[in-house]
Amino acid sequence: MTQIEDQPTPMTFTAAPSLAGSVTVPGDKSISHRSLMLSALAIGHSRVEGLLEGEDVLSTAAAMRAMGATIERDADGVWHIHGVGVGGLLQPDVALDMGNSGTSTRLLMGLLASHDLTATFVGDASLSKRPMARVTEPLARMGASFTTSPGDRLPLTMKGACPAVPLDYRLPVASAQVKSAILLAGLNTPGITRVVEPIPTRDHSERMLKGFGAELNVEVEADGTRIITLVGEAELQPQQIVVPGDPSSAAFPMVAALLVPGSQVTIANVGLNATRAGLIDLLREMGGDIEVINARDVGGEPVGDLIVTASALKGVEPDPARAPSMIDEYPVAFIAAALAQGRSVFRGLDELRVKESDRIATMAAGLRAIGVSIEELEDGIIIEGSGGAPLTGGGPIATKLDHRIAMSFAIAGLVSKDGVTIDDMRPVATSFPTFVPLLAQLGAIA
C-alpha cells in the first residue's frame, strides 16, 4: 500500500472553459471494501470487477491477506479472492495498517470481534485522530476487548471473543459503519444479532450479505425505522461482483458540470442506491439539470448513466433527516451552494465533525478564504450564494489531509476569478486516484 508521505503536493485549479465528454468514475468505495471482506469469508473463489484501487480499499485487501485470504489482481484489472470461511481468519503477524481508511478500520473491527484472535490497528495522522468508541462500545458488549490510545483512538489493540454474544442494538446515531460492524461481528456469533436503525443509512452491507447467502432479514416499521436481523454462524458462498461507479466520486464532476457555464457531461455507470443518492435529489431541488438514462440493476444495486447540464442554481434548506443519504457529498454540495442564488442552510451534520477532518470547520475556513459569506453552526453551515458570480479564489486551502475537502475546493477553482490553490493533493489517492486526469479529460485542465 502506498502511504501519504514525503512533502505536500500543492496544486492550483483555475477557471475552466465549458466541460464536455463522457467519463467513468472509480468503483464505489463502500461496495469495494465489503466485496473484499465478504469474499474473504466465503469458501471458494470470488471474482470482483471494477474494484476501486484507491489506497483505502488497498488497506482492506492488505489486511485480509494478513489474515489468510488469497487476494490477487490479474492484468485485466479483475480481482480474485479465495476465502477462508466464516470463523477461518488467522492471527495476523503484523499490525494492520489502515492508512487513512475509517471504513476499513471500523468494519474490520466488527469482522474480527467474533474471532479468537488479537489484532492491532494503526493508521496515518488523520485516521489516528478519529474516535472509535461508537464501534468499540457495542462490540465490547459482544465480548470483544479493546486497548485504545487516549480518546478511544488508534493505535488500538483488540481481542476478539469466540464464541461472541449476540447483540440487540439500537443505533444512537445514524452510522452505516457502526451498523455494518455489528452485522459483520454477527456472522460468526451463534444466535441472532439484531440492529435497529431509526434513520436509514446506506444499505450495501445488507444487500451484499444477502447476496453472499447470509440469512438476513430487514423489516421497515411505519415510521421508517429499519430492524435488521442476522442469523449467526453463517456459511457464505463465493460471488461474481461488478462494482458500480462511486456516487461520492461522481459528485465532483457532477457539480463541476452544473457550475461551469456551457457544460454538458455524461457520467457513466454510477451507483444509484437510494440510500446514497441524496446529492442528486438536492442538486435537482437547487435547479440542477441531471438526467438519468440507461437505468439498470447490476448485482442487486441500481445503476445508471447521468447527463449533467450547466444550470443556474438556487439556495436550498434540506431536511436534516436526509443527511445520511449524502453525508460524504456535503463538502462539494457546499461549493454548489456558494455559487447558487440566495441562502442555503445545512443542518443535522454532526457526523461531519468526526470525518477525516472536522469537515464543517475545514470547509467553513476554506470558503471564507475564497470570498464566500458563511456562518458556521454547531451541526452545519449557512452559505450566502454568489448568484453564479465567480468566486474570488485564493489559498492555499488547508485541507487537513482530507481527500473530499481537497477535491471540493478543486471544483471551486474551476469557477473562480483567480484560481484556488489546494495545499496538498496527495490524500485524493485514497478514494479517487484518477481525479485530476478525469478533469483534464473533460477539458477543465489544459
Side-chain angles (χ1 to χ4, degrees):
M1 182 186 75
T2 301
Q3 293 288 345
I4 296 174
E5 56 187 359
D6 300 324
Q7 297 302 311
T9 304
M11 186 171 180
T12 300
F13 295 81
T14 57
S18 59
L19 310 180
S22 179
V23 294
T24 58
V25 296
D28 186 285
K29 187 153 70 108
S30 296
I31 295 175
S32 293
H33 283 302
R34 290 159 174 81
S35 295
L36 290 171
M37 292 181 191
L38 295 182
S39 294
L41 291 183
I43 297 178
H45 170 218
S46 292
R47 182 177 186 275
V48 183
E49 295 182 45
L51 189 86
L52 169 62
E53 296 183 4
E55 291 176 355
D56 282 7
V57 174
L58 297 182
S59 294
T60 294
M64 301 316 297
R65 286 192 189 102
M67 293 182 287
T70 300
I71 302 177
E72 299 171 334
R73 179 191 188 276
D74 67 24
D76 294 329
V78 177
W79 289 70
H80 302 271
I81 302 98
H82 295 269
V84 297
V86 172
L89 294 175
L90 303 178
Q91 172 72 42
D93 293 331
V94 296
L96 302 178
D97 187 348
M98 299 289 95
N100 187 246
S101 182
T103 301
S104 301
T105 307
R106 293 182 174 122
L107 268 59
L108 282 172
M109 284 164 52
L111 198 63
L112 302 186
S114 54
H115 283 72
D116 185 18
L117 51 77
T118 300
T120 297
F121 292 84
V122 298
D124 68 8
S126 173
L127 181 61
S128 298
K129 295 177 182 177
R130 300 180 67 179
M132 296 294 159
R134 62 174 57 181
V135 175
T136 60
E137 189 273 329
L139 295 179
R141 295 193 198 181
M142 300 181 77
S145 58
F146 299 87
T147 302
T148 67
S149 297
D152 294 306
R153 292 173 167 83
L154 302 188
L156 172 158
T157 298
M158 68 171 294
K159 180 174 175 53
C162 191
V165 179
L167 182 64
D168 191 328
Y169 191 74
R170 184 181 182 90
L171 290 173
V173 296
S175 173
Q177 291 181 356
V178 176
K179 170 181 66 176
S180 298
I182 295 168
L183 293 175
L184 290 172
L187 282 174
N188 198 42
T189 300
I192 294 176
T193 295
R194 182 174 179 266
V195 179
V196 179
E197 186 178 49
I199 301 174
T201 64
R202 59 186 64 179
D203 64 354
H204 302 303
S205 292
E206 297 95 303
R207 290 172 183 259
M208 293 193 73
L209 283 164
K210 279 187 176 181
F212 273 85
E215 191 174 338
L216 181 144
N217 184 60
V218 180
E219 296 180 10
V220 182
E221 298 187 332
D223 64 355
T225 297
R226 300 172 77 243
I227 301 172
I228 307 154
T229 54
L230 174 74
V231 178
E233 298 178 304
E235 293 186 12
L236 302 186
Q237 305 302 315
Q239 300 295 310
Q240 295 197 26
I241 299 168
V242 178
V243 180
D246 195 322
S248 296
S249 294
F252 299 101
M254 183 165 33
V255 171
L258 289 175
L259 296 183
V260 177
S263 298
Q264 185 172 80
V265 169
T266 299
I267 311 169
N269 194 44
V270 178
L272 298 176
N273 185 309
T275 63
R276 298 283 303 284
L279 180 66
I280 294 175
D281 295 335
L282 178 75
L283 293 173
R284 283 173 167 167
E285 289 169 15
M286 297 177 75
D289 183 351
I290 304 172
E291 179 185 2
V292 177
I293 62 170
N294 194 23
R296 56 204 184 274
D297 189 273
V298 178
E301 290 280 349
V303 175
D305 305 332
L306 306 179
I307 300 177
V308 188
T309 305
S311 307
L313 303 182
K314 62 180 185 296
V316 69
E317 186 169 352
D319 183 347
R322 292 165 51 182
S325 71
M326 55 173 289
I327 195 65
D328 287 330
E329 291 75 72
Y330 274 103
V332 77
F334 296 166
I335 302 300
L339 272 292
Q341 179 70 49
R343 170 180 291 193
S344 293
V345 181
F346 300 96
R347 294 183 181 274
L349 308 185
D350 310 74
E351 181 74 10
L352 294 187
R353 296 284 188 187
V354 292
K355 288 289 188 176
E356 282 83 339
S357 68
D358 178 338
R359 285 183 174 161
I360 295 175
T362 308
M363 285 298 300
L367 288 167
R368 287 192 190 100
I370 59 173
V372 181
S373 175
I374 68 102
E375 178 185 349
E376 182 179 341
L377 309 172
E378 182 60 34
D379 68 339
I381 194 169
I382 299 173
I383 299 172
E384 300 289 347
S386 72
L391 304 174
T392 60
I397 301 297
T399 58
K400 305 293 181 71
L401 296 177
D402 190 321
H403 55 131
R404 300 202 194 279
I405 302 294
M407 290 185 283
S408 296
F409 281 104
I411 300 305
L414 306 184
V415 285
S416 66
K417 292 177 183 176
D418 307 313
V420 174
T421 299
I422 312 302
D423 68 347
D424 194 355
M425 287 295 289
R426 292 172 302 162
V428 170
T430 64
S431 66
F432 200 161
T434 58
F435 174 73
V436 172
L438 181 143
L439 291 184
Q441 183 180 344
L442 294 175
I445 301 172

